[in-house]
Amino acid sequence: MTTAPTAPPAFEGFDETAVSRWVERLSGNTSPRRNHWKTKEIYFEAAQQVLEAVPRPALTWKNIVAAADKGCRSTFYEVAGAHARHRMVDELINDGGSDAIQIALRYLRNDPVEQLIDETKVWSFWPYRQRLLRTITTGMSAEVMAAELTAAVVKWAQHKPELAAAVGHAPPACAVEDLTLIHRGLLSGTQAATRLTALVQAHLVAH
């Protein structure tokens, strides 16, 4: 899956968020020998495969490694865990903004599998975000933009219910950050995360 944006978003602030910078920097690396994003994608796909398996095995690092193409413990811990390289949560922390820090605290996990799932959600949601950004314009009100964003999150959850439900129905972190951007200081990172978590949970319970 191609994750780098194919066109600039209509509302330019969206490509300046911490999570957007993280995705674009890593996915934009074209080096075949030192491409950490490709390694991450192997484990994103494996995690999704484990979640969607019937019957579903336990969501453990061993089962994710077993599902991964040429998976092994060492590369798993390169992409997940406290000492993993290029963690999404570190990008949020290093951003330093109040909302980014609040979002980072919501996604700061002790369990490396949960950390991997958080990043897998962003990877999985990214094509929906790309389509969303091609429709948003600066002339839209915050209410309209927020409605478009929440509709994209719901559509993603419909298509990926197992992934969406994992780790307490946490929404993709990029969607949380986008929602704070839309509201421009009137909705905190914590509030945005809570709102989208409730949205995902309510949708999945209803279906």
Side-chain angles (χ1 to χ4, degrees):
M1 182 185 73
T2 300
T3 52
T6 56
F11 190 61
E12 293 183 357
F14 285 107
D15 63 2
E16 298 169 2
T17 65
V19 179
S20 181
R21 292 195 304 268
W22 174 75
V23 172
E24 291 177 17
R25 186 181 73 254
L26 294 181
S27 66
N29 177 14
T30 58
S31 170
R33 298 184 64 183
R34 300 186 64 184
N35 193 323
H36 190 64
W37 186 254
K38 290 297 183 185
T39 305
K40 279 184 176 289
E41 284 192 311
I42 289 170
Y43 286 100
F44 295 159
E45 290 170 355
Q48 189 167 265
Q49 182 179 329
V50 171
L51 284 167
E52 294 176 352
V54 179
R56 198 181 97 178
L59 189 61
T60 64
W61 72 266
K62 289 184 178 180
N63 285 333
I64 293 172
V65 166
D69 180 27
K70 299 179 181 178
C72 65
R73 184 181 186 278
S74 61
T75 54
F76 174 84
Y77 282 101
E78 280 186 12
V79 302
H83 303 292
R85 297 166 55 207
H86 306 296
R87 299 191 308 169
M88 176 187 71
V89 72
D90 290 332
E91 192 80 27
L92 286 160
I93 292 169
N94 292 336
D95 177 270
S98 174
D99 289 330
I101 294 295
Q102 289 180 44
I103 295 167
L105 291 174
R106 290 293 292 258
Y107 290 90
L108 193 60
R109 313 288 189 188
N110 291 323
D111 184 345
V113 171
E114 291 185 352
Q115 178 189 307
L116 178 68
I117 296 300
D118 286 336
E119 294 187 1
T120 302
K121 291 188 182 199
V122 169
W123 167 79
S124 174
F125 180 68
W126 205 253
Y128 298 84
R129 185 180 189 269
Q130 289 178 303
R131 288 192 290 271
L132 169 70
L133 297 190
R134 287 193 287 268
T135 66
I136 287 181
T137 68
T138 53
M140 289 181 176
S141 67
E143 290 75 16
V144 171
M145 285 192 281
E148 293 287 335
L149 173 61
T150 55
V153 172
V154 167
K155 187 173 183 180
W156 165 77
Q158 285 178 328
H159 292 164
K160 297 294 179 182
E162 296 85 4
L163 178 59
V167 196
H169 299 89
C174 55
V176 176
E177 199 175 15
D178 290 342
L179 191 58
T180 65
L181 177 64
I182 286 169
H183 287 284
R184 294 190 174 278
L186 299 178
L187 189 74
S188 71
T190 298
Q191 290 169 326
T194 299
R195 182 176 297 185
L196 290 181
T197 299
L199 175 77
V200 172
Q201 185 171 20
H203 172 78
L204 293 179
V205 168
H207 292 77

